[in-house]
Amino acid sequence: MHSQYNIFPEQASTFAAEVDLFYFGLVGISVFFTALIFLLVFVFALKYRRRSENECGQAVHGGLLLELLWTGIPLVLVMLIFAWGAKLYFNAYRMPSDAMEIYVTGKQWMWKVQHPNGKREINSLHVPKGQAIKLTIASEDVIHSFFVPAFRNKRDAVPGMFTDMWFEPTKTGEFHLFCAEYCGTDHARMVGKVRVLEPAEYQRWLETGDDLGPTLVSALPGGGGSMAQQGEALFGRLGCVACHAADSGSRGPNLQGRFGTEVELADGSRVVADENYIRESILNPQAKIVANFLPIMPTFQGQIDEDGLAQIVAYIKSLGGKDGETRTEQ
Amino acid sequence: MSAQNGHSEENYLNASHGLRSWLLTLDHKRIAILYLISITVFFGLGGLFAAGVRLELATPEGDLMGADTYNKMFTMHGVIMVFFFLIPSIPAVLGNFLIPLMIGAKDVAFPRINLMSWYIYVTGGIFVLAAMITGGVDTGWTFYPPFSSTFSNSQVMLAAVGVFITGFSSIVTGLNFIVTIHKMRAPGLTWFRLPLFIWAHYATSLIQVLGTPVVAITILLVGMERLFGFPIFNPTRGGDPILFQHLFWFYSHPAVYIMILPGMGVMSELVAAFARKQVFGYLFIAFSSLAIAVLGFLVWGHHMFTTGQSVYASLVFSVLTMLVAVPSAIKVFNWTATLYKGSISYEAPMLYAFGFIGLFTIGGVTGVMLGTLGFDIHVHDTYFVVAHFHYIMVGSTLMAYLGGIHFWWPKITGKLYPEAWARLSAAIIFIGFNLTFFPQFLAGYMGMPRRYYVYPEEFQLFNVASTAGAGILGFGYAMPLVYLIWSLLYGKKAPANPWGAKGLEWQISSPPGPHNFDEIPVVEEEAYNYETPAQEVKVG
């Protein structure tokens, strides 16, 4: 599968082929200019070699046109390159609204994955072929980066926020997963495999379990259930329901149908209630208080871990709302 | 101006004797020698760490050293090479020695501050050595929090203090050069008659003065978080790890231009001297140095495309990164055009210059590739990046430094180096360099991440090639160390102008007298005016 003589990883996502094509284009332009310079230097160095001890070169005057040409042409070229790269980047960043969501948490030194139905795995990510997948990524400690060379995509796992990335796998198989942001002692061992299955196989795997490969399904105390169900359990256990139920009076906003909608804040500005907004409201509630509510929500920093945060997000999403994109702008 | 021949008379080397006369010198030329010795020591140390890294990477398993040791090796390699070798190298050694000579001055504007800058540098170096001896640092030279401020169990504070202190050496050197260039030019030496080496160092000094304070503050903030728990970057207490990256790269990107611009200045001098020709497009090269300095401050976010920063911010940084490539391209075209109708000889400095043009072109185009958004997502934090910056730092800056050292060696020491050995080492270095770093482009695109001491087997071929190349490269660097020291003892005496080059520094003896010029020269012609050939004084 992987020989030592490859210079391209496998193309396993819709994005991969686009990036490789771009790469060819970039390499082509680069090789052209590099070869041009090498050739000119080589030819001039030979043709104009010094033939006698006191010989000097002949100054060449007036070259404004040449200067403008070799300023202008590279300028136009790099702008074209920029445009091509920007287009690819937009594609990579615009989360498709029909993407299946999976939650990833990086921690020193492993990747923990939670599927919406509650299934968990470590250092492994099972996904179905031919379906857009969105990963919501968090970190429990330091900065990590979720990197799948075969998909030509990566995103940093930054503590204190959710980041996200999407891909659509195009072939089945096992592909390297690497941590790509130095994170301490075992950074080099924070690796795993992305396992792409046919959709039917993936469904079977999701519902049953271990017969398709070495995955770790952790048994949760108090039972599992889907992420949304676990989130709902946490929502109750941590006391959120006291202020955020439909009949709580005006203590806290009702979360039914709220995910992804625009919210007006106390200072008049508006934000989209996306994953990061929910996370911030749990850990630093005073930051963005909704208009017409008192700032009485306590912080849950230290009482809930990244997995729990993801479960609560999944629960709140399950209460319905607008299918907004996650905005991770700071 | 009269040329003085280099017979035994008083020069800056023999004018006074004893350790005190060196350690308390106010002569810019002696200070340059002090820097030369200390940066060479740090280069050797940084090279040893590189050797450790490359030896471990020859096999996919972690069989030579443990993970923590490896992490310390690459961290120390980066910290030492960036802050204690590359950033000072050309400005502190060649700049210090040559700037007053090239402008017809007796010394720099502030000789005491110049000496102080060396002591500051050494003090910072001692802190970093202390960090190394007491266990090392394992955060990577980039010190990203929360790892560096909250999680790392290594000597982060000692290393941070060392880098903080050394930054001031860079700042005051820059200040000194700016004032010197403004105020101490000889009569007739207008701005557009200055050698391009001066323009390059002027632009570099601007960056040093404006940028370095930012990294000083950044290091201070990390230190405060680590020592006192001030929550600045720690997200569990309301801080933001991405803030650090903005602050850090705001300096560290211009820092790479601090490293390359002086090399470009050396390049202009080498190409002019060895093609015996006016540099083509003088004005464009001069202004492109300033353009690089300005634009270089605007592109730092291209180190952060995968952090989850706003798409629009990334777009802006990418456009600006494309722009900053253009002035560098202009320089390469102009140097190439200078060769046209030149009279070219192939001594070692010119071989280094040829190497620079080729390797800088490769480093530069791969830099453009990295600045493009869609491509960077894949190769960020892989060996593609490692290869790119080594093509610039080692393939370009270090080669320019070595070219400059050879070119001005007769002037600095009064001795000629052995030409055949020098040409051989230049060739060995060129071959070793490419074997070391070209496979890393391929490994990076294949997906090999940075800072990994173990890796999947399919990357082994690239790594073995790279380690073999590193061995050759190391040998290539050891050679000049040997024959340059040999030349101090047994080399032929150098005339004032062994190359027949234009420039005020070649009009005085080799080595120069303590006060440079007997009488301040008056400049009446453009730089590199080879229409009237310079006197080449051959050794009898």
Side-chain angles (χ1 to χ4, degrees), chain A residues 2 6-9 149, chain B residues 378 442-448 458-459 462:
Chain A
H2 290 291
N6 280 352
I7 56 173
F8 288 92
Chain B
H378 175 54
L442 304 173
Y445 199 76
M446 274 297 287
M448 179 167 174
E458 66 253 36
F459 297 119
F462 301 124

Side-chain angles (χ1 to χ4, degrees), chain A residues 58-75:
Chain A
Q58 275 178 269
V60 175
H61 296 291
L64 188 59
L65 180 62
L66 204 52
E67 296 281 359
L68 291 175
L69 261 177
W70 66 42
T71 304
I73 293 178
L75 188 59

Side-chain angles (χ1 to χ4, degrees), chain A residues 4 20 23 45 48-50 53 55 57-58 67 81-82 89 154 156 176 179-182 185 189, chain B residues 68 138 276-277 305-306 314 319 334 341 343-344 346 372 374-375 377-378 380-381 445 452-453 458 461:
Chain A
Q4 296 214 18
D20 283 353
Y23 183 46
Y48 299 107
R49 62 189 180 279
R50 192 173 304 162
E53 227 168 76
E55 188 193 49
Q58 275 178 269
E67 296 281 359
I81 289 172
F82 159 75
Y89 193 67
K154 66 167 64 73
D156 288 2
H176 282 300
C179 173
E181 185 62 63
Y182 174 69
T185 306
R189 295 197 192 276
Chain B
D68 281 327
D138 70 352
R276 291 227 178 119
K277 192 168 162 267
F305 286 150
T306 63
S314 295
V319 171
N334 276 298
K341 293 209 168 146
S343 165
I344 303 172
Y346 308 126
T372 65
F375 180 74
I377 305 180
H378 175 54
H380 173 68
D381 261 327
Y445 199 76
Y452 266 36
Y453 81 119
E458 66 253 36
L461 188 61

Side-chain angles (χ1 to χ4, degrees), chain B residues 158-316:
Chain B
L158 273 179
V161 168
V163 173
F164 179 86
I165 291 174
T166 301
F168 289 96
S169 168
S170 191
I171 295 173
V172 301
T173 297
L175 185 71
N176 224 337
F177 287 172
I178 291 172
V179 177
T180 305
I181 295 169
H182 271 277
K183 290 307 224 174
M184 297 178 68
R185 284 168 286 127
L189 190 49
T190 56
W191 280 91
F192 296 116
R193 286 178 174 174
L194 282 169
L196 289 165
F197 183 90
I198 304 288
W199 276 100
H201 279 80
Y202 185 77
T204 305
S205 301
L206 290 174
I207 306 177
Q208 284 176 295
V209 166
L210 293 173
T212 317
V214 177
V215 79
I217 300 292
T218 310
I219 292 175
L220 207 62
L221 291 174
V222 171
M224 293 209 298
E225 181 159 296
R226 195 169 164 88
L227 273 183
F228 308 124
F230 285 21
I232 303 162
F233 308 119
N234 181 357
T236 63
R237 301 178 57 196
D240 184 358
I242 305 295
L243 175 63
F244 173 86
Q245 294 188 30
H246 283 290
L247 289 172
F248 177 82
W249 288 113
F250 185 82
Y251 163 74
S252 297
H253 190 82
V256 315
Y257 297 111
I258 295 176
M259 295 186 250
I260 193 61
L261 276 170
M264 292 169 158
V266 170
M267 274 298 291
S268 295
E269 300 300 316
L270 295 181
V271 172
F274 289 91
R276 291 227 178 119
K277 192 168 162 267
Q278 162 79 264
V279 177
F280 190 88
Y282 173 98
L283 272 180
F284 277 83
I285 295 196
F287 282 121
S288 68
S289 297
L290 293 177
I292 290 173
V294 171
L295 287 171
F297 272 102
L298 305 178
V299 300
W300 76 89
H302 67 223
H303 297 271
M304 299 165 59
F305 286 150
T306 63
T307 58
Q309 78 183 357
S310 116
V311 174
Y312 303 103
S314 295
L315 285 173
V316 170

Side-chain angles (χ1 to χ4, degrees), chain A residues 99-120:
Chain A
M100 186 174 108
E101 299 194 5
I102 302 180
Y103 295 82
V104 175
T105 301
K107 72 180 282 265
Q108 289 174 323
W109 287 281
M110 64 173 79
W111 293 103
K112 303 195 291 185
V113 175
Q114 293 188 85
H115 293 261
N117 79 337
K119 185 103 182 250
R120 298 158 74 109

Side-chain angles (χ1 to χ4, degrees), chain A:
Chain A
M1 181 170 56
H2 290 291
S3 100
Q4 296 214 18
Y5 303 99
N6 280 352
I7 56 173
F8 288 92
E10 280 181 84
Q11 286 180 354
S13 78
T14 53
F15 194 53
E18 294 171 25
V19 172
D20 283 353
L21 183 64
F22 188 39
Y23 183 46
F24 274 124
L26 288 171
V27 169
I29 297 173
S30 304
V31 165
F32 172 75
F33 279 100
T34 306
L36 179 66
I37 297 288
F38 272 49
L39 193 68
L40 285 173
V41 168
F42 190 70
V43 165
F44 291 164
L46 279 180
K47 181 164 182 209
Y48 299 107
R49 62 189 180 279
R50 192 173 304 162
R51 288 162 217 270
S52 67
E53 227 168 76
N54 287 323
E55 188 193 49
C56 282
Q58 275 178 269
V60 175
H61 296 291
L64 188 59
L65 180 62
L66 204 52
E67 296 281 359
L68 291 175
L69 261 177
W70 66 42
T71 304
I73 293 178
L75 188 59
V76 167
L77 265 174
V78 291
M79 286 301 127
L80 289 173
I81 289 172
F82 159 75
W84 190 353
K87 179 159 166 297
L88 277 182
Y89 193 67
F90 264 113
N91 290 349
Y93 262 77
R94 288 282 180 253
M95 305 289 145
S97 50
D98 61 342
M100 186 174 108
E101 299 194 5
I102 302 180
Y103 295 82
V104 175
T105 301
K107 72 180 282 265
Q108 289 174 323
W109 287 281
M110 64 173 79
W111 293 103
K112 303 195 291 185
V113 175
Q114 293 188 85
H115 293 261
N117 79 337
K119 185 103 182 250
R120 298 158 74 109
E121 33 183 354
I122 289 187
N123 291 336
S124 161
L125 170 64
H126 282 79
V127 286
K129 185 180 93 171
Q131 151 92 51
I133 316 279
K134 172 181 147 177
L135 299 181
T136 300
I137 303 172
S139 165
E140 271 188 34
D141 37 41
V142 300
I143 306 179
H144 302 278
S145 191
F146 192 89
F147 176 36
V148 186
F151 295 165
R152 311 288 188 277
N153 208 341
K154 66 167 64 73
R155 191 71 72 248
D156 288 2
V158 183
M161 59 193 266
F162 285 123
T163 56
D164 51 21
M165 67 185 265
W166 81 275
F167 50 82
E168 180 176 321
T170 52
K171 63 202 260 207
T172 57
E174 290 196 351
F175 308 104
H176 282 300
L177 161 63
F178 294 128
C179 173
E181 185 62 63
Y182 174 69
C183 53
T185 306
D186 273 338
H187 165 64
R189 295 197 192 276
M190 191 166 159
V191 303
K193 287 281 199 267
V194 175
R195 297 183 163 93
V196 181
L197 305 172
E198 294 290 349
E201 277 180 81
Y202 173 74
Q203 271 308 117
R204 264 204 329 272
W205 174 86
L206 206 55
E207 278 147 23
T208 57
D210 298 289
D211 49 358
L212 291 172
T215 59
L216 224 66
V217 180
S218 67
L220 290 173
S226 71
M227 280 183 74
Q229 287 169 335
Q230 292 175 57
E232 185 175 15
L234 264 178
F235 198 77
R237 214 157 58 234
L238 289 171
C240 320
V241 69
C243 299
H244 287 288
D247 57 352
S248 306
S250 56
R251 278 204 293 276
N254 183 7
L255 303 177
Q256 194 77 35
R258 285 290 218 156
F259 183 82
T261 60
E262 232 183 31
V263 169
E264 191 179 335
L265 301 181
D267 63 358
S269 61
R270 304 183 77 85
V271 291
V272 172
D274 60 9
E275 287 92 336
N276 270 315
Y277 175 71
I278 293 174
R279 176 210 186 85
E280 188 178 27
S281 301
I282 295 173
L283 299 177
N284 184 14
Q286 311 303 318
K288 294 191 174 79
I289 301 280
V290 177
N292 302 321
F293 286 92
L294 292 172
I296 54 173
M297 177 170 166
T299 173
F300 290 84
Q301 181 81 53
Q303 293 185 54
I304 183 170
D305 66 2
E306 291 296 334
D307 291 349
L309 279 169
Q311 287 157 7
I312 292 200
V313 166
Y315 167 61
I316 294 178
K317 279 185 186 172
S318 75
L319 297 177
K322 188 155 138 331
D323 248 355
E325 285 175 26
T326 306
R327 299 248 227 96
T328 52
E329 283 161 273
Q330 292 294 284

